[in-house]
Amino acid sequence: MANFGWTRGNRPAQAEDAASDLRGLSDPAAFLAALDKVVPRYLDLADNGVLVYPACKRKSGDLLGDISAIWEHTRLEAMRYVPMVPRQDISLLVDPARQAEMIDAFLRQRAHDKTVVDFTGTAIEDYGIAIYAGLNWLNHCGALVGADPQKFSGTLRSFRRVMVVAQQWWAIDGAAERCRQLLEARERPPLVFFLMWAECTNLAREIAIAAAGPNATEDTISRMRAAEDPEQLT
């Protein structure tokens, strides 16, 4: 799991204790537990003006204004909605036995275009609200930096298609066992949490590239395209 830029030099002193919580995670429940800790810390740094927010507005001379930090912090900004769900039921996002239930509910839910959301108090609905809010945030950031519009065309529809494929995967006999085997191999089965994480990672990459503008050399862009996670650039 990415460390959200807080293991680099010149990191804010307030974030010193975050790195040990966020290194080397592969278990999806551990990811969520880490996000619960990191999201309020990150937002506090932004609220207090320590970091330029949103990350896509940072310049190269700003604290954590390098392209990899913008990538991982933009992803974090999109993922923040998940730990904000008021009545957590993380099994909906990470338990193989509940993936069909969560995906079915998500696909029945009407998409919204908001980044400021009102949660209902029902976890299965609120996770859907959070997912859409995160994707809308990435659309917003993409527009702010003039990212390639083709990369952001139909973002919500595209993710719904991803969820349909995942729905089919979970409907096949033996899906839970295959999920267990993939997790043991430190790979990522189509758990709802991992699907959102992957989508946010890919879109945040495009935003970071656009935000860097002419500072992003061809070599840097090539490395970013080849990387699966911003921490691979450090």
Side-chain angles (χ1 to χ4, degrees):
M1 180 178 180
N3 51 46
F4 307 120
W6 291 350
T7 59
R8 297 184 181 86
N10 300 320
R11 58 180 178 259
Q14 301 96 313
E16 285 285 348
D17 62 342
S20 61
D21 293 335
L22 298 170
R23 289 181 186 142
L25 298 179
S26 60
D27 177 75
F31 269 70
L32 283 167
L35 282 175
D36 284 341
K37 297 178 181 180
V38 170
V39 163
R41 292 174 187 169
Y42 176 76
L43 294 179
D44 184 64
L45 291 173
D47 289 343
N48 285 288
V50 177
L51 295 174
V52 173
Y53 173 88
C56 65
K57 289 187 174 181
R58 291 181 203 156
K59 306 302 181 185
S60 58
D62 292 330
L63 179 65
L64 297 180
D66 58 282
I67 197 168
S68 59
I70 293 172
W71 180 7
E72 62 188 0
H73 288 173
T74 299
R75 176 177 61 185
L76 177 60
E77 291 165 8
M79 293 296 302
R80 68 183 149 164
Y81 296 96
V82 172
M84 288 180 178
V85 168
R87 295 184 179 178
Q88 294 282 320
D89 184 359
I90 67 168
S91 63
L92 289 164
L93 303 178
V94 302
D95 185 345
R98 303 198 69 187
Q99 295 311 284
E101 176 188 1
M102 180 65 224
I103 294 171
D104 289 347
F106 177 83
L107 292 174
R108 289 195 304 268
Q109 193 168 6
R110 179 174 295 181
H112 66 81
D113 60 0
K114 301 177 179 65
T115 57
V116 178
V117 296
D118 293 320
F119 290 118
T120 67
T122 302
I124 199 166
E125 296 178 5
D126 288 344
Y127 283 130
I129 291 171
I131 291 170
Y132 282 125
L135 296 175
N136 287 326
W137 177 258
L138 293 169
N139 282 336
H140 170 68
C141 291
L144 284 178
V145 297
D148 183 352
Q150 291 187 347
K151 301 291 186 180
F152 291 83
S153 177
T155 298
L156 304 187
R157 290 193 305 273
S158 296
F159 189 73
R160 287 179 66 87
R161 287 195 292 270
V162 169
M163 293 288 266
V164 168
V165 175
Q167 183 182 50
Q168 296 167 350
W169 194 93
W170 288 107
I172 298 172
D173 289 343
E177 176 60 20
R178 288 197 305 279
C179 175
R180 183 189 64 78
Q181 293 171 351
L182 288 169
L183 289 173
E184 287 181 351
R186 300 179 70 84
E187 297 182 23
R188 294 179 180 173
L191 298 165
V192 171
F193 175 77
F194 282 150
L195 295 175
M196 185 185 181
W197 182 263
E199 191 75 359
C200 290
T201 297
N202 292 334
L203 293 175
R205 176 197 287 116
E206 299 301 326
I207 291 165
I209 290 172
N215 292 324
T217 64
E218 290 186 8
D219 177 66
T220 298
I221 294 174
S222 296
R223 290 177 60 226
M224 290 189 71
R225 298 284 186 211
E228 296 181 355
D229 195 275
E231 68 179 358
Q232 296 175 0
L233 301 178
T234 62

